[in-house]
Amino acid sequence: VSPPKELAEICKVSTSADDLANYGKDWSMNYAANPSAIVFPETIEEVQKLVLWARKTKTSLVPSGGRTGLSGAATATSKEVVVSFEKMNKILGFEPVDRTLTVQAGVVTEAVHKYAEELGQFFPVDFAAKGSSQIGGNVATNVGGVRVLRYGSMRSWVSGLTVVTGAGDILKLNKDLVKNATGYDLKNLFVGSEGTLGLVVEVDLKLTTAPKNTTVLVLGMESLGSAPSIFKTFRNKLNLSACEFFSEIALKKVLALHNLSRPFESETPFYLLLEVEHQADDISESLFPVFEECCEAGWVSDGVISQSATQAQSLWNLREFISESLSPESPYKNDISVKVSQVAAFSRELESTFKKDYSNFQVVLFGHIGDGNVHVNILKPNAMEKSEFIAICHEADKTLFAIVEKYEGAVSAEHGVGLLKKEALHFSRSAPEIELMKTIKRAFDPDGILNPGKVFDA
Ligand SMILES: Cc1cc2nc3c(=O)[nH]c(=O)nc-3n(C[C@H](O)[C@H](O)[C@H](O)COP(=O)(O)OP(=O)(O)OC[C@H]3O[C@@H](n4cnc5c(N)ncnc54)[C@H](O)[C@@H]3O)c2cc1C
């Protein structure tokens, strides 16, 4: 199929079957890709022309980054035109006094990590998909990751944004200012907007100083309910930069596919991975008493403390390889959060739900427990049809989300709403809130051309 002539005059367009299949979906894999074309703009002006063309022709656009999103937000299921940012992949410059790195939206996250390191700086937003995901996608999802506890999510590191709204206006938001008390914060409205308000074309990122030393611990726990107490004990005495957890089932899945060793010999139902930042080269003296306190309280049954950077990385791999190790088994994913203080009670209720609703399934739990964030992955039994499996999981979601609502949590902690959680949005956001979001969407995207049907139906 040849693309519309007017579109081809704006920028490179592809309608090849491979590209339609590839660029039409994200990592969620739950939705069939069905875009009409993929466009590859290279400049802000081309992006603006695309939006104006889409308005004129009433065509829907799906912004697309590295397509590592897990909520279907970057999928095109209804003949939309996918706007890929992969050709807008330039690092535009570093301003050392402001410590600001300005990049185009299509720069891959890991390229920012490497560039920052070459500058003797540090970009702390870190997660397992950083090798493919793009900065524009990270902004649009307000990506979290493994160091939110210490450094916050993407929002904390974005000091300016250039966007093209659904109306076709080019806006420069916040302009890299540290202080700006001039009315509503439109920049932050775009962070986490999942491509529904505008297309992010350039981003000002803040950099910081890399930690001097880090030590990683993996601790064995009999119950997830111990995690908040261990977290509190370490957080109050040391400079904690990450607090992650995973279950024994998750560990087994990683060990089956990767050449890694168990953290220690004994098996425990859950493991907590802690990362501590420190100035001194050796912190055993301050670390051991805290570890012992947790053992004496009965929260920890075994543990290991990294003795080298290589060992620390191997311990991190046990956690970071989980998503990838599960993906051959088509997991049904939930990404929920509650306040950390509620995790113990919440996890007790979760456990009884799993026993009741998912008794035939393998349930794999892991996540960023120091942020109150639990990833619940249900694995499809081989013999079960995918449609039957998804229908059962959807039904069970109602019980799960009712518990999330009871604890005033979020049905999506960091993966976003997209298509996957849109029906569940009301468990976490009130009807007036959802109406306000729709009003905001209409203000930025009057014709509803940007990522329609994602987050909510306008
Ligand atoms: C193995 C694995 C581990 C992960 N771990 C984490 C984790 O720890 N924490 C976490 O938060 N997420 C995690 N994710 C999810 C995902 O990596 C993040 O959501 C990431 O920010 C998505 O970036 P992307 O470039 O791939 O975006 P995409 O998937 O391409 O798109 C995501 C959303 O952003 C929009 N978008 C993309 N580019 C633009 C743009 N330029 N302008 C406007 N809108 C745009 C899309 O329309 C869509 O709504 C993980 C994913 C995988 C596969």
Side-chain angles (χ1 to χ4, degrees), residues 28 30-31 70-73 194 331-336 358 374 376 393-394 397 400-401 404 410-429 434 453-457:
S28 60
N30 286 347
Y31 309 96
L70 296 167
S71 70
E194 300 189 35
Y332 181 86
K333 286 174 174 293
N334 266 309
D335 159 43
I336 50 188
Y358 299 121
V374 181
V376 183
C393 290
H394 274 318
D397 272 353
L400 182 63
F401 294 156
V404 173
V411 290
S412 174
E414 58 177 9
H415 294 166
V417 179
L419 291 171
L420 200 63
K421 291 289 170 284
K422 140 169 120 160
E423 306 303 333
L425 188 59
H426 67 94
F427 285 101
S428 294
R429 306 298 290 259
I434 295 173
K454 311 292 168 48
V455 186
F456 43 70
D457 289 315

mmCIF file of all heavy atoms in Angstrom, residues 28 30-31 70-73 194 331-336 358 374 376 393-394 397 400-401 404 410-429 434 453-457:
data_model
loop_
_atom_site.group_PDB
_atom_site.id
_atom_site.type_symbol
_atom_site.label_atom_id
_atom_site.label_comp_id
_atom_site.label_asym_id
_atom_site.label_seq_id
_atom_site.Cartn_x
_atom_site.Cartn_y
_atom_site.Cartn_z
ATOM 1 N N SER A 28 3.726 -5.056 25.486
ATOM 2 C CA SER A 28 2.587 -5.683 26.167
ATOM 3 C C SER A 28 2.086 -6.899 25.390
ATOM 4 O O SER A 28 1.568 -7.835 25.970
ATOM 5 C CB SER A 28 1.460 -4.681 26.377
ATOM 6 O OG SER A 28 1.015 -4.195 25.136
ATOM 7 N N ASN A 30 -0.375 -7.772 23.969
ATOM 8 C CA ASN A 30 -1.760 -8.243 24.108
ATOM 9 C C ASN A 30 -2.659 -7.791 22.971
ATOM 10 O O ASN A 30 -3.803 -8.196 22.889
ATOM 11 C CB ASN A 30 -2.379 -7.705 25.418
ATOM 12 C CG ASN A 30 -1.826 -8.427 26.607
ATOM 13 O OD1 ASN A 30 -1.184 -9.458 26.450
ATOM 14 N ND2 ASN A 30 -2.044 -7.892 27.791
ATOM 15 N N TYR A 31 -2.157 -6.897 22.139
ATOM 16 C CA TYR A 31 -3.013 -6.283 21.127
ATOM 17 C C TYR A 31 -2.402 -6.477 19.738
ATOM 18 O O TYR A 31 -1.183 -6.361 19.577
ATOM 19 C CB TYR A 31 -3.181 -4.779 21.425
ATOM 20 C CG TYR A 31 -3.593 -4.536 22.851
ATOM 21 C CD1 TYR A 31 -2.641 -4.229 23.828
ATOM 22 C CD2 TYR A 31 -4.918 -4.677 23.243
ATOM 23 C CE1 TYR A 31 -3.002 -4.058 25.151
ATOM 24 C CE2 TYR A 31 -5.300 -4.504 24.569
ATOM 25 C CZ TYR A 31 -4.330 -4.196 25.517
ATOM 26 O OH TYR A 31 -4.697 -4.033 26.827
ATOM 27 N N LEU A 70 4.626 -1.322 28.708
ATOM 28 C CA LEU A 70 3.997 -2.581 29.106
ATOM 29 C C LEU A 70 2.476 -2.451 29.242
ATOM 30 O O LEU A 70 1.833 -3.325 29.799
ATOM 31 C CB LEU A 70 4.607 -3.045 30.438
ATOM 32 C CG LEU A 70 6.106 -3.378 30.367
ATOM 33 C CD1 LEU A 70 6.700 -3.514 31.771
ATOM 34 C CD2 LEU A 70 6.350 -4.655 29.582
ATOM 35 N N SER A 71 1.921 -1.330 28.747
ATOM 36 C CA SER A 71 0.477 -1.136 28.931
ATOM 37 C C SER A 71 -0.276 -0.996 27.610
ATOM 38 O O SER A 71 -1.450 -0.641 27.609
ATOM 39 C CB SER A 71 0.241 0.122 29.778
ATOM 40 O OG SER A 71 0.590 1.252 29.007
ATOM 41 N N GLY A 72 0.406 -1.234 26.509
ATOM 42 C CA GLY A 72 -0.265 -1.107 25.204
ATOM 43 C C GLY A 72 -0.403 0.335 24.741
ATOM 44 O O GLY A 72 -1.055 0.609 23.730
ATOM 45 N N ALA A 73 0.226 1.285 25.465
ATOM 46 C CA ALA A 73 0.033 2.705 25.140
ATOM 47 C C ALA A 73 0.660 3.102 23.811
ATOM 48 O O ALA A 73 0.250 4.078 23.189
ATOM 49 C CB ALA A 73 0.598 3.579 26.264
ATOM 50 N N GLU A 194 1.378 9.871 28.482
ATOM 51 C CA GLU A 194 1.243 8.720 27.572
ATOM 52 C C GLU A 194 0.892 9.129 26.145
ATOM 53 O O GLU A 194 0.079 8.476 25.476
ATOM 54 C CB GLU A 194 0.215 7.714 28.128
ATOM 55 C CG GLU A 194 0.614 7.182 29.507
ATOM 56 C CD GLU A 194 -0.260 6.020 29.987
ATOM 57 O OE1 GLU A 194 -0.685 5.213 29.167
ATOM 58 O OE2 GLU A 194 -0.504 5.944 31.199
ATOM 59 N N PRO A 331 3.387 -13.670 30.380
ATOM 60 C CA PRO A 331 2.766 -13.339 31.671
ATOM 61 C C PRO A 331 1.656 -12.302 31.529
ATOM 62 O O PRO A 331 1.722 -11.428 30.664
ATOM 63 C CB PRO A 331 3.926 -12.753 32.472
ATOM 64 C CG PRO A 331 4.914 -12.288 31.469
ATOM 65 C CD PRO A 331 4.751 -13.150 30.259
ATOM 66 N N TYR A 332 0.653 -12.444 32.371
ATOM 67 C CA TYR A 332 -0.373 -11.398 32.503
ATOM 68 C C TYR A 332 0.111 -10.505 33.632
ATOM 69 O O TYR A 332 0.296 -10.950 34.758
ATOM 70 C CB TYR A 332 -1.717 -12.039 32.845
ATOM 71 C CG TYR A 332 -2.834 -11.046 32.974
ATOM 72 C CD1 TYR A 332 -3.542 -10.629 31.849
ATOM 73 C CD2 TYR A 332 -3.179 -10.515 34.211
ATOM 74 C CE1 TYR A 332 -4.569 -9.694 31.968
ATOM 75 C CE2 TYR A 332 -4.199 -9.591 34.333
ATOM 76 C CZ TYR A 332 -4.888 -9.188 33.208
ATOM 77 O OH TYR A 332 -5.895 -8.259 33.330
ATOM 78 N N LYS A 333 0.343 -9.224 33.303
ATOM 79 C CA LYS A 333 1.061 -8.369 34.237
ATOM 80 C C LYS A 333 0.149 -7.394 34.969
ATOM 81 O O LYS A 333 -0.716 -6.788 34.346
ATOM 82 C CB LYS A 333 2.088 -7.526 33.465
ATOM 83 C CG LYS A 333 3.291 -8.304 33.002
ATOM 84 C CD LYS A 333 4.163 -7.415 32.134
ATOM 85 C CE LYS A 333 5.446 -8.083 31.752
ATOM 86 N NZ LYS A 333 6.365 -8.316 32.856
ATOM 87 N N ASN A 334 0.378 -7.268 36.251
ATOM 88 C CA ASN A 334 -0.188 -6.156 36.999
ATOM 89 C C ASN A 334 0.932 -5.429 37.720
ATOM 90 O O ASN A 334 1.909 -6.056 38.136
ATOM 91 C CB ASN A 334 -1.227 -6.647 38.006
ATOM 92 C CG ASN A 334 -2.616 -6.592 37.421
ATOM 93 O OD1 ASN A 334 -3.017 -5.561 36.888
ATOM 94 N ND2 ASN A 334 -3.341 -7.691 37.496
ATOM 95 N N ASP A 335 0.772 -4.124 37.820
ATOM 96 C CA ASP A 335 1.824 -3.261 38.371
ATOM 97 C C ASP A 335 1.125 -2.317 39.332
ATOM 98 O O ASP A 335 0.578 -1.308 38.919
ATOM 99 C CB ASP A 335 2.459 -2.511 37.175
ATOM 100 C CG ASP A 335 3.180 -1.254 37.575
ATOM 101 O OD1 ASP A 335 3.900 -1.275 38.569
ATOM 102 O OD2 ASP A 335 3.025 -0.234 36.858
ATOM 103 N N ILE A 336 1.084 -2.710 40.618
ATOM 104 C CA ILE A 336 0.244 -1.970 41.556
ATOM 105 C C ILE A 336 1.097 -1.338 42.659
ATOM 106 O O ILE A 336 2.225 -1.763 42.902
ATOM 107 C CB ILE A 336 -0.814 -2.910 42.184
ATOM 108 C CG1 ILE A 336 -0.151 -4.176 42.712
ATOM 109 C CG2 ILE A 336 -1.885 -3.259 41.176
ATOM 110 C CD1 ILE A 336 -1.096 -5.247 43.166
ATOM 111 N N TYR A 358 -6.215 -17.491 41.759
ATOM 112 C CA TYR A 358 -5.173 -17.928 40.825
ATOM 113 C C TYR A 358 -4.601 -19.291 41.228
ATOM 114 O O TYR A 358 -3.438 -19.577 40.955
ATOM 115 C CB TYR A 358 -4.015 -16.919 40.802
ATOM 116 C CG TYR A 358 -4.337 -15.501 40.365
ATOM 117 C CD1 TYR A 358 -4.109 -14.426 41.210
ATOM 118 C CD2 TYR A 358 -4.821 -15.238 39.087
ATOM 119 C CE1 TYR A 358 -4.362 -13.129 40.811
ATOM 120 C CE2 TYR A 358 -5.079 -13.943 38.681
ATOM 121 C CZ TYR A 358 -4.850 -12.893 39.547
ATOM 122 O OH TYR A 358 -5.090 -11.605 39.143
ATOM 123 N N VAL A 374 4.442 -3.308 43.638
ATOM 124 C CA VAL A 374 4.513 -4.767 43.464
ATOM 125 C C VAL A 374 4.124 -5.124 42.027
ATOM 126 O O VAL A 374 3.053 -4.746 41.559
ATOM 127 C CB VAL A 374 3.533 -5.475 44.442
ATOM 128 C CG1 VAL A 374 3.609 -6.983 44.292
ATOM 129 C CG2 VAL A 374 3.820 -5.067 45.883
ATOM 130 N N VAL A 376 2.863 -7.995 39.731
ATOM 131 C CA VAL A 376 2.231 -9.310 39.855
ATOM 132 C C VAL A 376 2.155 -9.916 38.457
ATOM 133 O O VAL A 376 1.473 -9.386 37.587
ATOM 134 C CB VAL A 376 0.793 -9.167 40.416
ATOM 135 C CG1 VAL A 376 0.159 -10.547 40.615
ATOM 136 C CG2 VAL A 376 0.776 -8.372 41.701
ATOM 137 N N CYS A 393 -7.959 -13.990 34.089
ATOM 138 C CA CYS A 393 -7.151 -12.948 34.757
ATOM 139 C C CYS A 393 -7.941 -11.646 34.878
ATOM 140 O O CYS A 393 -7.898 -10.969 35.911
ATOM 141 C CB CYS A 393 -5.855 -12.708 33.991
ATOM 142 S SG CYS A 393 -4.710 -14.089 34.101
ATOM 143 N N HIS A 394 -8.690 -11.295 33.814
ATOM 144 C CA HIS A 394 -9.509 -10.070 33.868
ATOM 145 C C HIS A 394 -10.513 -10.146 35.009
ATOM 146 O O HIS A 394 -10.740 -9.173 35.723
ATOM 147 C CB HIS A 394 -10.276 -9.892 32.550
ATOM 148 C CG HIS A 394 -9.481 -9.170 31.498
ATOM 149 N ND1 HIS A 394 -8.719 -8.075 31.788
ATOM 150 C CD2 HIS A 394 -9.350 -9.386 30.167
ATOM 151 C CE1 HIS A 394 -8.125 -7.653 30.675
ATOM 152 N NE2 HIS A 394 -8.487 -8.428 29.673
ATOM 153 N N ASP A 397 -8.814 -9.745 38.271
ATOM 154 C CA ASP A 397 -8.375 -8.356 38.467
ATOM 155 C C ASP A 397 -9.352 -7.566 39.329
ATOM 156 O O ASP A 397 -8.961 -6.697 40.106
ATOM 157 C CB ASP A 397 -8.281 -7.636 37.110
ATOM 158 C CG ASP A 397 -6.916 -7.825 36.464
ATOM 159 O OD1 ASP A 397 -6.023 -8.385 37.119
ATOM 160 O OD2 ASP A 397 -6.754 -7.408 35.303
ATOM 161 N N LEU A 400 -8.519 -8.085 42.807
ATOM 162 C CA LEU A 400 -7.219 -7.471 43.100
ATOM 163 C C LEU A 400 -7.342 -5.939 43.192
ATOM 164 O O LEU A 400 -6.864 -5.308 44.139
ATOM 165 C CB LEU A 400 -6.241 -7.869 41.978
ATOM 166 C CG LEU A 400 -4.815 -7.378 42.093
ATOM 167 C CD1 LEU A 400 -4.154 -7.974 43.328
ATOM 168 C CD2 LEU A 400 -4.012 -7.774 40.850
ATOM 169 N N PHE A 401 -8.041 -5.356 42.215
ATOM 170 C CA PHE A 401 -8.138 -3.892 42.181
ATOM 171 C C PHE A 401 -9.020 -3.355 43.314
ATOM 172 O O PHE A 401 -8.825 -2.236 43.784
ATOM 173 C CB PHE A 401 -8.662 -3.416 40.829
ATOM 174 C CG PHE A 401 -7.705 -3.713 39.689
ATOM 175 C CD1 PHE A 401 -8.162 -3.831 38.387
ATOM 176 C CD2 PHE A 401 -6.351 -3.870 39.931
ATOM 177 C CE1 PHE A 401 -7.280 -4.108 37.350
ATOM 178 C CE2 PHE A 401 -5.468 -4.141 38.900
ATOM 179 C CZ PHE A 401 -5.934 -4.262 37.603
ATOM 180 N N VAL A 404 -6.674 -2.974 46.014
ATOM 181 C CA VAL A 404 -5.854 -1.775 45.772
ATOM 182 C C VAL A 404 -6.650 -0.517 46.153
ATOM 183 O O VAL A 404 -6.146 0.383 46.840
ATOM 184 C CB VAL A 404 -5.417 -1.691 44.282
ATOM 185 C CG1 VAL A 404 -4.721 -0.375 44.000
ATOM 186 C CG2 VAL A 404 -4.497 -2.860 43.916
ATOM 187 N N ALA A 410 -2.572 2.492 43.687
ATOM 188 C CA ALA A 410 -2.676 2.782 42.250
ATOM 189 C C ALA A 410 -2.716 1.472 41.462
ATOM 190 O O ALA A 410 -1.898 0.577 41.702
ATOM 191 C CB ALA A 410 -1.489 3.625 41.794
ATOM 192 N N VAL A 411 -3.652 1.369 40.508
ATOM 193 C CA VAL A 411 -3.722 0.157 39.670
ATOM 194 C C VAL A 411 -2.568 0.114 38.679
ATOM 195 O O VAL A 411 -2.265 -0.926 38.114
ATOM 196 C CB VAL A 411 -5.067 0.027 38.914
ATOM 197 C CG1 VAL A 411 -6.204 -0.272 39.870
ATOM 198 C CG2 VAL A 411 -5.360 1.254 38.057
ATOM 199 N N SER A 412 -1.928 1.243 38.453
ATOM 200 C CA SER A 412 -0.650 1.229 37.748
ATOM 201 C C SER A 412 0.331 2.106 38.517
ATOM 202 O O SER A 412 0.101 3.303 38.688
ATOM 203 C CB SER A 412 -0.768 1.755 36.327
ATOM 204 O OG SER A 412 0.550 1.833 35.799
ATOM 205 N N ALA A 413 1.418 1.494 38.961
ATOM 206 C CA ALA A 413 2.413 2.257 39.721
ATOM 207 C C ALA A 413 3.341 3.008 38.786
ATOM 208 O O ALA A 413 3.694 4.158 39.040
ATOM 209 C CB ALA A 413 3.219 1.307 40.592
ATOM 210 N N GLU A 414 3.747 2.346 37.680
ATOM 211 C CA GLU A 414 4.725 2.998 36.795
ATOM 212 C C GLU A 414 4.587 2.587 35.331
ATOM 213 O O GLU A 414 5.137 3.249 34.465
ATOM 214 C CB GLU A 414 6.163 2.719 37.283
ATOM 215 C CG GLU A 414 6.505 1.239 37.351
ATOM 216 C CD GLU A 414 7.943 0.962 37.752
ATOM 217 O OE1 GLU A 414 8.659 1.871 38.151
ATOM 218 O OE2 GLU A 414 8.349 -0.217 37.640
ATOM 219 N N HIS A 415 3.866 1.529 35.021
ATOM 220 C CA HIS A 415 3.778 1.105 33.617
ATOM 221 C C HIS A 415 2.784 1.929 32.825
ATOM 222 O O HIS A 415 2.793 1.910 31.597
ATOM 223 C CB HIS A 415 3.415 -0.376 33.516
ATOM 224 C CG HIS A 415 4.489 -1.277 34.050
ATOM 225 N ND1 HIS A 415 4.303 -2.602 34.321
ATOM 226 C CD2 HIS A 415 5.785 -1.008 34.376
ATOM 227 C CE1 HIS A 415 5.431 -3.128 34.789
ATOM 228 N NE2 HIS A 415 6.333 -2.175 34.841
ATOM 229 N N GLY A 416 1.916 2.640 33.504
ATOM 230 C CA GLY A 416 0.942 3.487 32.819
ATOM 231 C C GLY A 416 -0.371 2.759 32.571
ATOM 232 O O GLY A 416 -0.506 1.550 32.801
ATOM 233 N N VAL A 417 -1.336 3.518 32.085
ATOM 234 C CA VAL A 417 -2.701 3.006 31.910
ATOM 235 C C VAL A 417 -2.863 2.417 30.507
ATOM 236 O O VAL A 417 -3.320 1.275 30.349
ATOM 237 C CB VAL A 417 -3.728 4.148 32.147
ATOM 238 C CG1 VAL A 417 -5.145 3.643 31.958
ATOM 239 C CG2 VAL A 417 -3.552 4.735 33.540
ATOM 240 N N GLY A 418 -2.501 3.187 29.499
ATOM 241 C CA GLY A 418 -2.559 2.709 28.108
ATOM 242 C C GLY A 418 -3.902 2.109 27.773
ATOM 243 O O GLY A 418 -4.964 2.681 28.067
ATOM 244 N N LEU A 419 -3.858 0.936 27.164
ATOM 245 C CA LEU A 419 -5.087 0.187 26.877
ATOM 246 C C LEU A 419 -5.364 -0.791 28.005
ATOM 247 O O LEU A 419 -6.513 -1.091 28.324
ATOM 248 C CB LEU A 419 -4.919 -0.609 25.576
ATOM 249 C CG LEU A 419 -4.843 0.197 24.280
ATOM 250 C CD1 LEU A 419 -4.467 -0.705 23.112
ATOM 251 C CD2 LEU A 419 -6.169 0.896 24.005
ATOM 252 N N LEU A 420 -4.269 -1.265 28.619
ATOM 253 C CA LEU A 420 -4.368 -2.387 29.551
ATOM 254 C C LEU A 420 -5.138 -2.051 30.826
ATOM 255 O O LEU A 420 -5.869 -2.877 31.354
ATOM 256 C CB LEU A 420 -2.941 -2.839 29.905
ATOM 257 C CG LEU A 420 -2.756 -4.224 30.463
ATOM 258 C CD1 LEU A 420 -3.177 -5.281 29.455
ATOM 259 C CD2 LEU A 420 -1.295 -4.443 30.855
ATOM 260 N N LYS A 421 -4.964 -0.844 31.343
ATOM 261 C CA LYS A 421 -5.562 -0.529 32.647
ATOM 262 C C LYS A 421 -6.689 0.500 32.529
ATOM 263 O O LYS A 421 -7.169 1.002 33.536
ATOM 264 C CB LYS A 421 -4.478 0.012 33.593
ATOM 265 C CG LYS A 421 -3.468 -1.037 33.995
ATOM 266 C CD LYS A 421 -4.070 -2.061 34.937
ATOM 267 C CE LYS A 421 -3.183 -3.248 35.169
ATOM 268 N NZ LYS A 421 -3.101 -4.226 34.117
ATOM 269 N N LYS A 422 -7.086 0.793 31.287
ATOM 270 C CA LYS A 422 -8.070 1.868 31.118
ATOM 271 C C LYS A 422 -9.395 1.552 31.818
ATOM 272 O O LYS A 422 -9.972 2.414 32.476
ATOM 273 C CB LYS A 422 -8.160 2.116 29.622
ATOM 274 C CG LYS A 422 -9.435 2.371 29.004
ATOM 275 C CD LYS A 422 -9.199 2.845 27.583
ATOM 276 C CE LYS A 422 -9.868 1.908 26.613
ATOM 277 N NZ LYS A 422 -10.081 2.528 25.303
ATOM 278 N N GLU A 423 -9.855 0.284 31.725
ATOM 279 C CA GLU A 423 -11.127 -0.066 32.375
ATOM 280 C C GLU A 423 -10.999 -0.029 33.901
ATOM 281 O O GLU A 423 -12.002 0.001 34.598
ATOM 282 C CB GLU A 423 -11.587 -1.485 31.963
ATOM 283 C CG GLU A 423 -11.689 -1.733 30.457
ATOM 284 C CD GLU A 423 -12.628 -0.763 29.757
ATOM 285 O OE1 GLU A 423 -13.553 -0.277 30.431
ATOM 286 O OE2 GLU A 423 -12.413 -0.478 28.568
ATOM 287 N N ALA A 424 -9.767 -0.081 34.391
ATOM 288 C CA ALA A 424 -9.557 -0.143 35.848
ATOM 289 C C ALA A 424 -9.230 1.224 36.449
ATOM 290 O O ALA A 424 -9.054 1.345 37.655
ATOM 291 C CB ALA A 424 -8.422 -1.115 36.152
ATOM 292 N N LEU A 425 -9.174 2.239 35.596
ATOM 293 C CA LEU A 425 -8.740 3.565 36.070
ATOM 294 C C LEU A 425 -9.581 4.041 37.264
ATOM 295 O O LEU A 425 -9.073 4.650 38.201
ATOM 296 C CB LEU A 425 -8.820 4.557 34.895
ATOM 297 C CG LEU A 425 -8.246 5.948 35.104
ATOM 298 C CD1 LEU A 425 -6.765 5.889 35.455
ATOM 299 C CD2 LEU A 425 -8.460 6.805 33.854
ATOM 300 N N HIS A 426 -10.882 3.720 37.220
ATOM 301 C CA HIS A 426 -11.788 4.233 38.258
ATOM 302 C C HIS A 426 -11.492 3.659 39.650
ATOM 303 O O HIS A 426 -11.959 4.190 40.652
ATOM 304 C CB HIS A 426 -13.240 3.948 37.867
ATOM 305 C CG HIS A 426 -13.574 2.490 37.856
ATOM 306 N ND1 HIS A 426 -14.116 1.846 38.934
ATOM 307 C CD2 HIS A 426 -13.400 1.541 36.906
ATOM 308 C CE1 HIS A 426 -14.273 0.563 38.650
ATOM 309 N NE2 HIS A 426 -13.843 0.351 37.416
ATOM 310 N N PHE A 427 -10.703 2.572 39.714
ATOM 311 C CA PHE A 427 -10.340 2.049 41.038
ATOM 312 C C PHE A 427 -9.363 2.994 41.750
ATOM 313 O O PHE A 427 -9.224 2.951 42.963
ATOM 314 C CB PHE A 427 -9.687 0.663 40.923
ATOM 315 C CG PHE A 427 -10.653 -0.449 40.620
ATOM 316 C CD1 PHE A 427 -10.770 -0.941 39.326
ATOM 317 C CD2 PHE A 427 -11.447 -1.001 41.621
ATOM 318 C CE1 PHE A 427 -11.652 -1.970 39.041
ATOM 319 C CE2 PHE A 427 -12.339 -2.031 41.344
ATOM 320 C CZ PHE A 427 -12.439 -2.518 40.046
ATOM 321 N N SER A 428 -8.644 3.797 40.957
ATOM 322 C CA SER A 428 -7.627 4.679 41.560
ATOM 323 C C SER A 428 -7.921 6.168 41.380
ATOM 324 O O SER A 428 -7.320 6.988 42.067
ATOM 325 C CB SER A 428 -6.253 4.404 40.933
ATOM 326 O OG SER A 428 -5.814 3.124 41.269
ATOM 327 N N ARG A 429 -8.765 6.536 40.423
ATOM 328 C CA ARG A 429 -9.052 7.960 40.204
ATOM 329 C C ARG A 429 -10.570 8.156 40.255
ATOM 330 O O ARG A 429 -11.332 7.376 39.684
ATOM 331 C CB ARG A 429 -8.511 8.419 38.837
ATOM 332 C CG ARG A 429 -7.040 8.127 38.589
ATOM 333 C CD ARG A 429 -6.108 8.834 39.559
ATOM 334 N NE ARG A 429 -6.058 10.254 39.365
ATOM 335 C CZ ARG A 429 -5.075 10.908 38.715
ATOM 336 N NH1 ARG A 429 -4.047 10.246 38.217
ATOM 337 N NH2 ARG A 429 -5.095 12.210 38.597
ATOM 338 N N ILE A 434 -11.352 12.001 36.571
ATOM 339 C CA ILE A 434 -11.282 11.492 35.193
ATOM 340 C C ILE A 434 -11.909 12.517 34.243
ATOM 341 O O ILE A 434 -11.392 12.780 33.158
ATOM 342 C CB ILE A 434 -11.957 10.095 35.079
ATOM 343 C CG1 ILE A 434 -11.151 9.083 35.911
ATOM 344 C CG2 ILE A 434 -12.044 9.632 33.624
ATOM 345 C CD1 ILE A 434 -11.764 7.702 36.054
ATOM 346 N N GLY A 453 -8.147 6.690 22.682
ATOM 347 C CA GLY A 453 -8.494 5.397 23.310
ATOM 348 C C GLY A 453 -7.480 4.934 24.326
ATOM 349 O O GLY A 453 -7.650 3.881 24.937
ATOM 350 N N LYS A 454 -6.404 5.703 24.524
ATOM 351 C CA LYS A 454 -5.437 5.338 25.556
ATOM 352 C C LYS A 454 -5.777 6.127 26.840
ATOM 353 O O LYS A 454 -6.240 7.261 26.757
ATOM 354 C CB LYS A 454 -4.003 5.660 25.114
ATOM 355 C CG LYS A 454 -3.636 5.147 23.721
ATOM 356 C CD LYS A 454 -3.565 3.628 23.648
ATOM 357 C CE LYS A 454 -3.481 3.080 22.222
ATOM 358 N NZ LYS A 454 -2.545 3.664 21.324
ATOM 359 N N VAL A 455 -5.533 5.540 27.969
ATOM 360 C CA VAL A 455 -5.811 6.072 29.321
ATOM 361 C C VAL A 455 -7.324 6.096 29.607
ATOM 362 O O VAL A 455 -7.783 5.589 30.613
ATOM 363 C CB VAL A 455 -5.195 7.467 29.571
ATOM 364 C CG1 VAL A 455 -5.388 7.885 31.025
ATOM 365 C CG2 VAL A 455 -3.698 7.475 29.215
ATOM 366 N N PHE A 456 -8.103 6.727 28.695
ATOM 367 C CA PHE A 456 -9.578 6.712 28.823
ATOM 368 C C PHE A 456 -10.157 6.942 27.437
ATOM 369 O O PHE A 456 -9.438 7.331 26.518
ATOM 370 C CB PHE A 456 -10.081 7.817 29.780
ATOM 371 C CG PHE A 456 -9.388 9.138 29.572
ATOM 372 C CD1 PHE A 456 -9.601 9.897 28.424
ATOM 373 C CD2 PHE A 456 -8.510 9.646 30.527
ATOM 374 C CE1 PHE A 456 -8.958 11.103 28.236
ATOM 375 C CE2 PHE A 456 -7.864 10.853 30.336
ATOM 376 C CZ PHE A 456 -8.099 11.583 29.186
ATOM 377 N N ASP A 457 -11.457 6.656 27.306
ATOM 378 C CA ASP A 457 -12.125 7.022 26.045
ATOM 379 C C ASP A 457 -12.644 8.421 26.223
ATOM 380 O O ASP A 457 -13.412 8.696 27.148
ATOM 381 C CB ASP A 457 -13.265 6.041 25.745
ATOM 382 C CG ASP A 457 -12.706 4.672 25.348
ATOM 383 O OD1 ASP A 457 -11.770 4.625 24.532
ATOM 384 O OD2 ASP A 457 -13.207 3.667 25.889
#
